[in-house]
Amino acid sequence: MKLHVTPQYDTDVLIIGGGPAGASCAYHLATQGIQVTILDYQPFPRDKVCGDFVGPVAIRELAGMGIDQYEAFRKTNVITQAALYLDGKPMITKNIPLVSGIPDHGRVIPRMELDDWILKAAVKKGAKLLAGRLLDYQVFSNGVLAHHKKGSLFAKMIVGADGSSSTVARILTGSKPQAEDRILAVRAYYKNVKCMPDQAELYFTSQSFPGYYWFFPTGPDTANVGVGMVQENFPHQEVNLKTLLLELIEKDPALKAKIGDGELEDKVVGWPLATYNPDHPKTADRLVLVGDAGGLINALNGEGIQYATLSGRWAAETITECIRREQFHEAALAPYKKKIVEELGFDMSLSNTLIQFIRNRNLNPLWLKLLDIIVQKARRDDEYADIAGGILAGLKPANEAMSASFIGKSITQGVQTLATDAFREAAKGPGNITRLAWGGMMFGMQTAGDLMQHPGNYLSWGKGIVSNSFQLAGHVLKGINNRG
Ligand SMILES: Cc1cc2nc3c(=O)[nH]c(=O)nc-3n(C[C@H](O)[C@H](O)[C@H](O)COP(=O)(O)OP(=O)(O)OC[C@H]3O[C@@H](n4cnc5c(N)ncnc54)[C@H](O)[C@@H]3O)c2cc1C
């Protein structure tokens, strides 16, 4: 006779990390009556280094958890438009595009408050919160044994929601996130600034590209200001982001006008972001990774809160089914992985491809010209602006950018802009044409010289473009097949 011993579980699902991803997942699981325990080593409310911009999709997710009903939430700063600056000059200002079923605004919400609200909502639904740092875990055929500083817990499943330096993901893959999948960023809070409270601003400068700066108002005269840059770029530039940020505030005329007499409220602090890598696992037997732990950050805009809340909900939907069926092997978790690929794969791959191009700082003049071309078209064509802005804000599916009409408009604008530039220079006299041609030749020679000096850099850059383009092509083909 065989004896079946039912294991004693401390909880059905153990979630490591109580940020937006872990807390959303816990909220949706607890709503289904599933026993959930969240383990986080930080006492809440706690700060998290962030730009604090909560995009419209995340606002919708928060509303789904009833957080939009909180009085404190309603008092947070509403953002209805976004502006882009290049080398201190305003390029374009547009309203946040309207997308059906998604609010027409974002908010800037300090994480000290936002994360606490989501966590409290989960606890109110029945999730248990435990203080402790996960050290290690083992997956057995009948459950997961997780060890933290003060003891251990046995659960049916483990969810890694422990952020961009996830212990759960590191133990699963055996390594830290690769440098190519990292953005480094710093943020600072300023008071007594002059700003338009409903306008989020992004700044690019020719010297610090591919770095980008943000100015997100937290109220009528306060703002979250920061800078982010891909870690892996070449020619490799050792940058101190804190110095870069303070320098820009000092030198960029547009930012200086806003922050000039403002005061830094606290220290400038930094944190890495882990961007999307399609090869990074999202599931394993009895294990799911959500939010930053799963690398769910859009490399183009650094946004992660919407993907954290979305992936938390999607993971909860799949786990609920697994618990009902008592099936926890990786194949049973496939619906979660499928959802990520279907809903986010194309957008993330397009962002990765664009970022892979601009990693090559030698070609900065070219990338900035392309940005200029897109902005010039967007200024005059609202439909085009909605698509370009919607993609940048993570609101519109990026495959809209691949539509024939969008690409056609971009090419036409490109030809027009380049021809106008050449004509303007020619009108200044023959010397200018020579200078223009000379400039182009020098740029070409510089790039060729650098290619000969550092062929390895160019090779891995090119390989990155090819592999990202293949990923993108795969999503395009899948989209065509699904439509067909
Ligand atoms: C400088 C900067 C600016 C950003 N700006 C924006 C922005 O404006 N808008 C936007 O949408 N996104 C932004 N992001 C990204 C955003 O912050 C993240 O995508 C988001 O925080 C992801 O949420 P999460 O729940 O996955 O992880 P986190 O919010 O990082 O939460 C992880 C939790 O896990 C806990 N934890 C970690 N390790 C352990 C362990 N071993 N044991 C127990 N607990 C553990 C931590 O204490 C933490 O509470 C920015 C990121 C940075 C760094």
Side-chain angles (χ1 to χ4, degrees), residues 17 19-21 40 42 46 48 50-51 53 111 134 185 292 303-305:
D40 199 305
Q42 298 195 70
R46 61 102 178 90
K48 153 81 179 73
C50 189
F53 179 70
R111 298 290 297 274
L134 175 87
D292 284 11
E303 237 188 298
I305 298 170

Side-chain angles (χ1 to χ4, degrees), residues 221-263:
D221 61 355
T222 51
N224 178 321
V225 187
V227 56
M229 190 176 277
V230 285
Q231 186 176 342
E232 197 82 341
N233 55 33
F234 75 93
H236 189 69
Q237 187 191 26
E238 270 312 318
V239 280
N240 180 323
L241 288 179
K242 183 180 163 185
T243 314
L244 202 63
L245 180 66
L246 297 176
E247 256 178 37
L248 184 88
I249 291 171
E250 197 46 47
K251 287 185 191 153
D252 184 282
L255 253 189
K256 195 171 178 184
K258 292 190 173 94
I259 307 184
D261 297 325
E263 292 157 60

